[in-house]
Amino acid sequence: DCGRAVAGRTAALGGDPGMGRAWSGLARVDWALGDGEAARSAGSKASELLERVNRKEHAWIELVQVWVQTSDGAVFRKKADEFIREFPDDRDGYFYAGLGAESLQKDCKAALSYYEKAYGLTSGYYPITRGEVECRIRLGQNPQANAALRRYLALPVVPEEGRQQAQRRLKELNEGH
């Protein structure tokens, strides 16, 4: 939920306004909320702090900057693939590559490939399943979307919020929505 994400990022920045990764996260959330100006501003602040972050955070901030500054799906996917090659065990790299393919390029087939890899790294993170489900529905693969939700709900441990969201979406899908 974007509102909680903004609140969390804002709280983190209150504790350390020099936290580049938090500014980068705020940029991505602002973009998702449709506030391009705020996204670019937060992204610029993150870029100003690049000398204070480690290599992985540096690469991540650069990746998010491509999204919020250009919204160019092809450029973003190339940058995401570079991030993944350098940090192949990072769930967020695959997840955001999937989001980019889905949102910026409208390419759900490519997004599914990234989502599957992200799920393999962290199966209990509901946004990955949500991305997979929405892409499968767009591709007319409702039985596979249903199966993805059931797979998630069958996990032995999932956050309660994720469980509730998955149950709600499964009900909607079964009712034809």
Side-chain angles (χ1 to χ4, degrees), residues 49-100:
L49 300 167
L50 285 174
E51 75 273 356
R52 295 185 57 187
V53 299
N54 65 36
R55 174 68 196 124
K56 186 173 182 179
E57 290 170 329
H58 191 282
W60 184 257
I61 290 168
E62 288 179 338
L63 176 63
V64 171
Q65 278 294 86
V66 169
W67 184 304
V68 300
Q69 296 293 339
T70 73
S71 299
D72 183 317
V75 174
F76 180 79
R77 189 182 306 184
K78 181 178 182 221
K79 192 72 167 171
D81 286 340
E82 290 172 10
F83 182 89
I84 289 167
R85 274 191 299 281
E86 190 169 351
F87 307 102
D89 62 343
D90 187 285
R91 171 202 70 199
D92 286 340
Y94 293 103
F95 176 59
Y96 277 86
L99 285 177

Side-chain angles (χ1 to χ4, degrees), residues 7-29:
R9 301 287 186 194
T10 304
L13 291 169
D16 181 3
M19 186 183 242
R21 177 90 188 228
W23 280 105
S24 180
L26 185 59
R28 175 64 185 90
V29 170

Side-chain angles (χ1 to χ4, degrees), residues 131-167:
E132 177 186 355
V133 167
E134 297 311 316
C135 275
R136 292 205 180 280
I137 291 169
R138 283 189 197 101
L139 294 171
Q141 300 173 354
N142 287 21
Q144 293 92 330
N146 189 300
L149 287 164
R150 291 184 185 284
R151 176 186 68 184
Y152 177 81
L153 289 168
L155 293 171
V157 177
V158 293
E160 186 57 30
E161 181 179 350
R163 180 173 306 285
Q164 290 172 1
Q165 289 180 31
Q167 288 170 333

